[in-house]
Amino acid sequence: MQRIGIIGGGIVGALTAYFLKEAGFNDITIFDRQIGQATAASAGIISPWLSKRRNQKWYHLANDGASLYPQIVKTAKITAAAYQQTGTIITRANSTTVEALFALAQMRKISAPMMQEIRIISADEIMKMIPQTQINSAGVYISGGARIDGAQFVSEVNKYTQVKYINESVHLTANGKIEGYPEFDKIIVATGAWLQETLIPLNYAVNVRPQKGQLIELIDAQTITVKKQPVLMPEGESDFIPLGEGRIIIGASHENDAGYDLKPTPIIKDYLLKSAQKINPQLRHAQITKMRVGTRAYTPDFAPFFGYLPEYPNIYVASGLGSSGLTTGPMIAKLLAELIINRQTDISAYTKPISEYIKFKN
């Protein structure tokens, strides 16, 4: 049986291990230094269907990635703390825009039955579903949308797969091995914004940039508790993610000029809190219990990429997932696993050739 080494334990690394384990691979090791990882800092929304992105490869990844969650959740016995189908609400100030959004949802549902119930929802209905909020706009409700906690989800997946996990920063050698460890038959490099750094020994230039993302966790003892509240994506404000028991997550920011800085930023903290208070004025009494900070990877065309390196065909890479990594990550992981099993797997419907983003320096 082949030995598999995975560098990077975020959503792509963890789920590639999951799909390989499901396919019968048992000798899998994940290496992760757990510093700045985008997945570990994330709390996201799985609801890609109303995106206006024109990139059809991205939409195929996002739609198919979202559709994989129910089976993963069932098989790996993922808890509601990590993933829960709560429904999502996307608001718009203009009624014409709401109707256009609803029409788009109906069209998208043809190829995305996971969306389930779709309907236009009034501001009054939204305020009943998410108590104490003050909403002035109607929106579109999609019952199949979900919320996810990146760190918790990956932790539970790893518990299920029981792969060997080493909390360590490792390096590749010039001949494509993991320094200091016995030889692996296949290596997956899923180090996100650090892919350039990881591939330096192999003499590659990688067109990926870092983006800082921050979000806040709030708790308010005076918040009315409803067991399962939908996630709210309000126009012009940060995403509002109720967790129950007075806990709410707000965010995240998109900061292009912060490099790899992982320090919480007071101005962002204040912005996110004020955004939350616009949605729920009651949160003026809330306490910020945690601020999560991570580094995303972006490409110039905002598209993820993945595949194997032609010069090192035993090495597979993935990066550029951006702020939708929790949505596209599962399908990228599944396709990487399929490529490892069968190099001839066609991934052209999901990504451009890897040479568009990585150049070998002769």
Side-chain angles (χ1 to χ4, degrees), residues 216-248:
I216 58 173
E217 294 187 28
L218 306 173
I219 189 164
D220 179 17
Q222 299 183 50
T223 294
I224 296 173
T225 298
V226 174
K227 188 173 182 181
K228 188 170 76 170
Q229 301 177 43
V231 172
L232 180 63
M233 303 168 73
E235 186 174 29
E237 299 296 339
S238 299
D239 294 336
F240 190 93
I241 308 174
L243 303 177
E245 299 179 351
R247 296 172 57 232
I248 301 167

Side-chain angles (χ1 to χ4, degrees), residues 88-126:
T88 52
I89 299 171
I90 301 94
T91 67
R92 292 291 183 267
N94 184 287
S95 60
T96 302
T97 307
V98 171
E99 290 169 2
L101 207 60
F102 177 65
L104 175 63
Q106 289 180 307
M107 181 186 71
R108 291 270 170 86
K109 187 179 178 181
I110 296 171
S111 60
M114 182 185 170
M115 294 172 71
Q116 299 180 16
E117 180 191 2
I118 303 167
R119 60 187 172 92
I120 292 177
I121 184 170
S122 69
D124 287 342
E125 288 179 285
I126 296 171

